[in-house]
Amino acid sequence: MRYLIPILVVVFIIVAVAVWIISQPPEPQPVEIVMSSDPFPMHLGANTLSIALTQADGSLLRDALVAVDVSMDMEGMLLPTTGYAEIDDEGIYHFPVLWSMMGEWTVNIAAQLPDERIIRDEFDVFVYAVPQTSPNLQPVYQSNSEIADLTQQPNEAWIIIPLGTEMLFRTGGGDDLMPDELRLSVSGRNTLVIQNNDIADHNIGPFYVRAGETLRQTFTEPAEFVGACSVSHSDTVTVIVEG
C-alpha cells in the first residue's frame, strides 16, 4: 500500500500536465501536425497513432512534448484517453490506443515546442469493427483546421466525405453530407469539389467519385442535374447551376 499512493500521485500529475497542455490557447502555427496510424484505417483493438511535426522546410521537429487526448462523444458521455506520445529515432511521435468501440472518435493533439510555444490541432477519425483495406487512400488524416481552410474558397462548394461514411449509412446512421438541393452560379460559386476520404466509392447525383479521389467540376453554363446520392438519406439530390 505504501508504494501504491506515490504511483497514483505520479499518474495524476502526468495526466494533469497533459490536460493542461491541451487546454492552452493555440499559438500561430509554425509547424504542421501530421497524423497517420498503424493500421490504416484503424479498427477495434490495439492501434498506434503516428504524429509528425513538419516544419516549413519539410524537416521534422524534434524535442517537443506531444500530448494526445482521444475521446468519443456518445450520448453526452466522454470516453477519454490522455497521455504523451513517444518519439522514435526518425523523429516520429507514437501514441498507442486501444479502441474499445466502433464509430467516430476525436483526437486532439497539442505539442509544446522547444521554444515553449504550443500548437495544436484536432482530427476526426473512424474506427472500424474489423480490419479494412483501401489501396487508393493515403494513410494520413486531414485535420479539422485543414478542412476548414479548404472549404472557405469563395467560388467553390466542397463536399468532403470522411472515412467511415459508407459504414455509417449502411447501418442507418450518418449525417447528410449533401443537401437535397445544391445551388451554384456560373458567375459566382461555379465549382463543385467532392473529396472522397472514405474506403468506399460514392455517388453524388450524376457524379461518381472513387475512394481516395477528388472530383472538381467547374460549370460554365446553366444546368440542372438530378441523381441518387450515397451521402444523403434522401432518395435523390439536385444540383442547380444558375446563370
Side-chain angles (χ1 to χ4, degrees):
M1 178 62 71
R2 65 176 182 174
Y3 297 109
L4 179 60
I5 293 178
I7 291 174
L8 292 176
V9 170
V10 171
V11 171
F12 175 81
I13 292 174
I14 291 175
V15 172
V17 172
V19 170
W20 177 82
I21 291 176
I22 290 174
S23 65
Q24 298 307 298
E27 295 284 345
Q29 195 103 330
V31 299
E32 180 184 5
I33 298 175
V34 180
M35 189 183 81
S36 58
S37 67
D38 182 21
F40 182 92
M42 293 183 284
H43 56 78
L44 293 179
N47 297 249
T48 301
L49 301 178
S50 298
I51 302 158
L53 303 180
T54 306
Q55 302 182 94
D57 61 1
S59 63
L60 297 178
L61 181 68
R62 300 168 181 262
D63 300 322
L65 185 62
V66 178
V68 181
D69 177 83
V70 177
S71 63
M72 170 184 274
D73 189 357
M74 183 178 180
E75 297 181 355
M77 296 185 298
L78 291 177
L79 305 174
T81 298
T82 301
Y84 291 112
E86 295 186 358
I87 192 170
D88 64 17
D89 293 338
E90 297 180 355
I92 304 296
Y93 298 83
H94 300 282
F95 184 77
V97 182
L98 186 65
W99 298 114
S100 58
M101 294 185 66
M102 184 191 83
E104 298 169 289
W105 291 76
T106 299
V107 178
N108 281 286
I109 299 175
Q112 184 173 354
L113 307 183
D115 59 7
E116 302 300 323
R117 288 177 296 173
I118 294 176
I119 62 170
R120 65 182 182 184
D121 217 332
E122 182 179 87
F123 300 79
D124 291 329
V125 302
F126 188 84
V127 175
Y128 288 87
V130 296
Q132 305 286 327
T133 58
S134 181
N136 294 333
L137 290 184
Q138 295 294 323
V140 177
Y141 297 91
Q142 274 187 318
S143 69
N144 289 348
S145 63
E146 180 184 354
I147 292 173
D149 290 341
L150 287 174
T151 57
Q152 289 178 356
Q153 303 301 319
N155 67 322
E156 296 177 345
W158 277 75
I159 306 295
I160 296 181
I161 306 171
L163 197 64
T165 296
E166 187 272 338
M167 176 65 70
L168 288 172
F169 273 79
R170 178 150 47 94
T171 56
D175 297 327
D176 288 340
L177 303 179
M178 175 72 180
D180 293 346
E181 182 179 283
L182 176 64
R183 289 185 174 270
L184 303 173
S185 172
V186 172
S187 59
R189 192 170 61 158
N190 62 354
T191 301
L192 175 63
V193 184
I194 305 172
Q195 184 181 83
N196 185 6
N197 296 332
D198 201 8
I199 63 173
D201 302 340
H202 283 279
N203 278 96
I204 295 183
F207 306 106
Y208 179 77
V209 188
R210 294 192 299 176
E213 294 188 351
T214 298
L215 178 146
R216 183 183 298 271
Q217 177 67 52
T218 298
F219 300 95
T220 58
E221 297 180 356
E224 181 173 324
F225 306 93
V226 180
C229 184
S230 59
V231 297
S232 170
H233 293 286
S234 300
D235 292 334
T236 60
V237 295
T238 303
V239 178
I240 299 174
V241 183
E242 300 171 332

